[in-house]
Amino acid sequence: MSSGQDLLTRLRADIVKHTFAPETKLKFSDLTERYGLGIGTLREALSQLVSEGFVTLEAGKGFRVAPVSRRDLAEVTDHYIAFEKRALAQSIAAGDDEWETRIVAAFHSLGIIEDLSWAERMRRHGDWVERHRLFHEALVAACPDRWLLRLRSLMFYQLERYRFLSKMNRENSPSRKGTEHRAIMEATVARDAKATALLEQHIRETSDSISGMLSKT
């Protein structure tokens, strides 16, 4: 991976994880110290993140982390659901035994974290985030539409930024989410059409739990 691509990945991850909070000014002096790269490489990465919607650029004011809001969350949720359901439907139609095995393995790995106590799960939240991403990627891995997967991935990370806002919310209990993940997994490997409806319900419930924490604008 090139230094520019590595920076883009790291900077996006730091925004998603709220290392840089929404609307934080992204100063080149701070970024060069944190990432150890020059202004030119940083500017290129930030410009890419502007196009992805993670960063804003105002004339004379520089780069800032994009704000969050209830309205933005609703839009992100609708787009992510549309892409994710289409990708899952195509995966169900095209998937083979290896695809099914990957889903089951990813679910098992995620379940190890979700079966832990709340305190322990919070201690291993970074592991949960990575395994949750891998589970959702496994579900759609057989989708042959590469552009659809790219768009779906972009919206996944946009929604992930909102999910981090609620990571300490006890209403998002690991046992309930684990039950939802199992239902999605079982319906998917059974090639049951209801898998897409279960997936939409799962995503919308997560978004609804976050929405009340945000401003309407």
Side-chain angles (χ1 to χ4, degrees):
M1 184 182 293
S2 69
S3 59
Q5 187 62 41
D6 178 63
L7 172 63
L8 178 63
T9 299
R10 291 172 62 195
L11 189 50
R12 185 192 295 115
D14 281 342
I15 291 171
V16 167
K17 293 186 296 184
H18 294 261
T19 300
F20 300 115
E23 302 187 67
T24 297
K25 185 173 178 59
L26 297 168
K27 300 178 181 179
F28 283 115
S29 58
D30 295 337
L31 298 179
T32 53
E33 181 177 351
R34 178 177 178 83
Y35 300 108
L37 292 168
I39 291 177
T41 305
L42 283 164
R43 186 180 297 278
E44 184 177 344
L46 288 168
S47 296
Q48 176 63 34
L49 292 174
V50 169
S51 70
E52 294 180 7
F54 292 101
V55 172
T56 61
L57 174 61
E58 294 183 55
K61 296 184 178 180
F63 295 97
R64 288 185 181 275
V65 177
V68 294
S69 69
R70 204 177 299 175
R71 177 179 176 180
D72 185 68
L73 173 60
E75 292 176 358
V76 166
T77 300
D78 285 344
H79 287 304
Y80 176 55
I81 286 172
F83 293 141
E84 188 84 330
K85 288 176 68 178
R86 284 175 57 194
L88 180 58
Q90 290 188 31
S91 279
I92 289 173
D96 55 15
D97 291 349
E98 183 177 343
W99 168 71
E100 290 186 14
T101 300
R102 178 177 170 182
I103 292 171
V104 174
F107 169 75
H108 176 71
S109 179
L110 177 62
I112 291 172
I113 305 295
E114 292 184 326
D115 288 342
L116 297 172
S117 67
W118 182 262
E120 184 64 13
R121 183 190 170 192
M122 286 299 95
R123 190 183 71 80
R124 297 187 60 183
H125 185 70
D127 292 336
W128 181 88
V129 168
E130 177 66 9
R131 296 182 192 195
H132 180 257
R133 178 183 65 80
L134 291 173
F135 172 68
H136 279 274
E137 287 183 351
L139 292 172
V140 301
C143 173
D145 188 333
R146 298 298 97 182
W147 275 106
L148 175 56
L149 289 178
R150 287 173 188 153
L151 292 169
R152 171 255 166 218
S153 180
L154 171 61
M155 301 316 296
F156 175 87
Y157 283 112
Q158 285 286 357
L159 188 57
E160 190 79 341
R161 188 161 78 110
Y162 282 95
R163 189 179 290 114
F164 264 86
L165 289 173
S166 66
K167 71 178 183 179
M168 299 305 292
N169 185 348
R170 288 182 177 270
E171 292 179 3
N172 294 323
S173 68
S175 59
R176 181 170 65 82
K177 289 301 178 186
T179 300
E180 292 174 8
H181 287 142
R182 176 177 291 279
I184 293 166
M185 180 273 293
E186 291 178 345
T188 299
V189 298
R191 315 299 174 105
D192 190 329
K194 73 178 182 181
T196 58
L198 290 171
L199 187 62
E200 176 171 3
Q201 180 181 3
H202 171 70
I203 296 166
R204 288 205 183 278
E205 286 182 355
T206 297
S207 292
D208 288 347
S209 71
I210 301 166
S211 182
M213 303 165 55
L214 302 169
S215 65
K216 294 182 180 180
T217 56

